[in-house]
């Protein structure tokens, strides 16, 4: 019998959870193909190594932008490769549950379902990212108790208040890890006349990036191309500078958190101030994010134990309740509204 599969289809990476085995695959959502023949060359890690380094006939692309499918054909081929990798060749097609941002439109929803079916799934179910993140972070979402989850991924930041197994209030904005990288690239260009690539920006974000003043200043030597001379150049960059670079996207995320809290019923706000805010996703690991949210909202904020895998774990755990789900619909909050 084919195993049920949970997929966290992220802009930056795809995590696959197989029932009974846990997370079995974690690879970047990148596809490399030959432009002339249309042949798929590499998927995942091997394709990512080619980003920005390919000869003319090979292109490495990310088929997902801002949490949704931007290249349907490539997404389907990437999914097929990943499903094949974890499920192998089987007569039975697996049932698949795919995680999507909470602000997704019906058209985008349909595209995800169709891509899953075309990639070899027997049935496709959808789950909202903040709900999956809450389950993965160990929150019992079935209770009549309010919890707030802030999931900052690669392409989207999803903020949701969850109670009784559904989303009460939510916001999904297309500002997350990728936009933090872009902000670093722009900052380096504006402040240091230095052109750096996306991968360098990612490294800077991981090593010296912060959104709240650090106890000790950290400095990193950044290599790039000088815009004035066109030659390679090395510039020292401090963690305080990174705070300046991140200011605009971080402000937008904070505004979204604030607006969700404003719209939340008072009973649930009281629950949230007791339970605290839980942050998940790779973007939440930028140094000081939890401290910033605590300082701005006055509500204790913590980062989930396995922040990067939370959504995938939650998606996997919801495989246990597949029998109660309607095929294809947003499984939790929207299903309640539909029925």
């Amino acid at each position: 019998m084919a195993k049920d599969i949970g997929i966290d289809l992220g802009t930056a990476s795809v995590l696959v959870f197989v029932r009974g085995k846990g997370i079995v695959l974690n690879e970047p959502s990148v596809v490399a193909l030959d432009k002339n023949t249309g042949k798929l060359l590499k998927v995942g890690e091997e394709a990512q190594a080619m980003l920005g380094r390919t000869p003319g006939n090979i292109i490495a692309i990310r088929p997902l932008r801002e949490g949704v499918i931007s290249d349907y054909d490539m997404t389907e081929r990437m999914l097929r490769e990943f499903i094949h990798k974890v499920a192998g060749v089987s007569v039975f097609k697996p049932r698949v549950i795919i995680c999507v941002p909470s602000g997704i439109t019906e058209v985008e929803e349909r595209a995800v379902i169709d891509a899953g079916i075309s990639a070899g799934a027997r049935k496709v179910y959808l789950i909202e990212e903040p709900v999956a993140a809450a389950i993965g972070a160990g929150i019992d979402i079935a209770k009549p108790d309010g919890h707030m989850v802030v999931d900052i991924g690669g392409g989207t930041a999803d903020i949701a208040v969850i109670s009784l197994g559904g989303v009460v209030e939510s916001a999904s904005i297309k500002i997350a890890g990728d936009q933090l990288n872009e902000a670093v690239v722009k900052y380096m260009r504006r402040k240091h006349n230095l052109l750096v690539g996306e991968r360098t920006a990612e490294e800077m974000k991981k090593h010296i990036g912060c959104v709240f003043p650090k106890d000790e200043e950290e400095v990193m030597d950044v290599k790039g191309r000088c815009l004035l001379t066109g030659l390679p150049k090395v510039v020292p960059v401090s963690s305080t500078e990174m705070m300046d670079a991140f200011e605009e996207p971080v402000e937008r995320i904070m505004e979204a958190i604030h607006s969700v809290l404003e719209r939340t019923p008072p009973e649930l706000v009281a629950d949230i101030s007791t339970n605290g805010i839980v942050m998940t996703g790779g973007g939440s690991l930028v140094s000081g994010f939890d401290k910033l949210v605590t300082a701005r909202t006055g509500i204790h904020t913590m980062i989930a134990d396995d922040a990067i895998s939370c959504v995938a774990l939650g998606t996997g755990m919801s495989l246990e309740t597949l029998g109660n789900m309607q095929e294809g619909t947003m499984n939790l909050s929207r299903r309640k509204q539909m029925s």
Side-chain angles (χ1 to χ4, degrees):
M1 188 64 191
K3 294 262 188 209
D4 293 332
I5 295 173
I7 299 174
D8 172 13
L9 191 59
T11 309
S13 51
V14 174
L15 282 82
V16 180
F17 184 107
V18 174
R19 197 171 180 173
K21 289 186 183 170
I23 295 173
V24 292
L25 182 137
N26 178 356
E27 297 215 16
S29 22
V30 182
V31 177
L33 77 156
D34 189 318
K35 209 160 49 174
N36 303 339
T37 62
K39 184 170 176 273
L40 195 69
L41 300 174
K42 300 278 185 226
V43 170
E45 300 240 304
E46 293 166 320
Q48 188 180 35
M50 298 178 172
L51 270 179
R53 296 186 167 154
T54 54
N57 64 319
I58 297 172
I59 49 171
I61 52 169
R62 292 170 123 193
L64 293 135
R65 276 265 165 246
E66 299 173 337
V68 293
I69 295 174
S70 62
D71 187 326
Y72 177 82
D73 185 41
M74 285 301 122
T75 304
E76 183 211 308
R77 286 162 81 170
M78 177 175 78
L79 272 177
R80 183 177 293 143
E81 286 289 316
F82 288 149
I83 290 174
H84 179 72
K85 217 177 210 179
V86 299
V89 182
S90 169
V91 183
F92 298 104
K93 290 182 171 182
R95 290 186 301 175
V96 174
I97 182 166
I98 299 177
C99 202
V100 289
S102 53
I104 193 171
T105 65
E106 280 184 25
V107 175
E108 291 162 346
E109 211 176 291
R110 193 72 251 165
V112 174
I113 294 165
D114 291 347
I117 298 286
S118 307
R122 175 164 47 113
K123 285 183 177 178
V124 173
Y125 303 83
L126 301 181
I127 182 169
E128 287 156 293
E129 260 165 34
V131 173
I135 298 169
I139 296 169
D140 183 354
I141 63 166
K143 290 183 176 173
D145 197 16
H147 290 276
M148 188 176 206
V149 176
V150 178
D151 178 55
I152 305 172
T156 58
D158 281 274
I159 301 115
V161 174
I162 297 163
S163 176
L164 286 167
V167 174
V168 181
E169 276 300 339
S170 70
S172 180
I173 57 167
K174 294 179 175 175
I175 305 270
D178 287 353
Q179 284 65 37
L180 293 178
N181 292 351
E182 276 171 32
V184 171
V185 173
K186 283 180 188 164
Y187 179 84
M188 293 303 290
R189 180 177 231 158
R190 191 176 66 241
K191 184 83 189 286
H192 295 288
N193 281 322
L194 193 74
L195 193 63
V196 296
E198 206 178 304
R199 290 176 68 170
T200 305
E202 177 79 25
E203 287 299 306
M204 291 166 71
K205 179 176 77 179
K206 282 181 180 167
H207 295 301
I208 57 165
C210 66
V211 296
F212 198 78
K214 282 191 171 189
D215 298 336
E216 277 182 38
E217 181 90 287
E218 286 182 20
V219 178
M220 175 179 171
D221 285 336
V222 178
K223 298 186 184 84
R225 188 171 79 226
C226 178
L227 288 165
L228 304 175
T229 64
L231 299 171
K233 183 179 167 187
V234 180
V235 173
V237 180
S238 70
S239 48
T240 308
E241 284 189 82
M242 291 295 280
M243 232 167 76
D244 293 344
F246 288 154
E247 189 179 358
E248 195 192 336
V250 168
E251 207 47 54
R252 296 273 302 277
I253 293 170
M254 292 310 302
E255 279 167 18
I257 293 172
H258 196 218
S259 82
V260 170
L261 279 169
E262 275 181 344
R263 300 195 306 269
T264 302
E267 297 294 332
L268 293 178
V269 173
D271 289 346
I272 293 164
S273 61
T274 308
N275 296 328
I277 296 172
V278 176
M279 295 188 80
T280 63
S284 66
L285 298 177
V286 174
S287 175
F289 229 135
D290 50 339
K291 290 178 184 162
L292 180 70
V293 178
T294 304
R296 292 285 195 88
T297 61
I299 300 168
H300 174 62
T301 303
M302 56 237 139
I303 293 168
D305 288 345
D306 196 350
I308 292 179
S309 314
C310 263
V311 173
L313 288 169
T315 309
M317 288 168 170
S318 24
L319 290 170
E320 303 302 326
T321 58
L322 268 186
N324 312 333
M325 284 191 195
Q326 270 181 299
E327 192 181 340
T329 56
M330 292 297 259
N331 72 333
L332 291 159
S333 51
R334 252 186 241 183
R335 190 185 77 215
K336 288 198 170 77
Q337 290 158 16
M338 286 174 176
S339 53

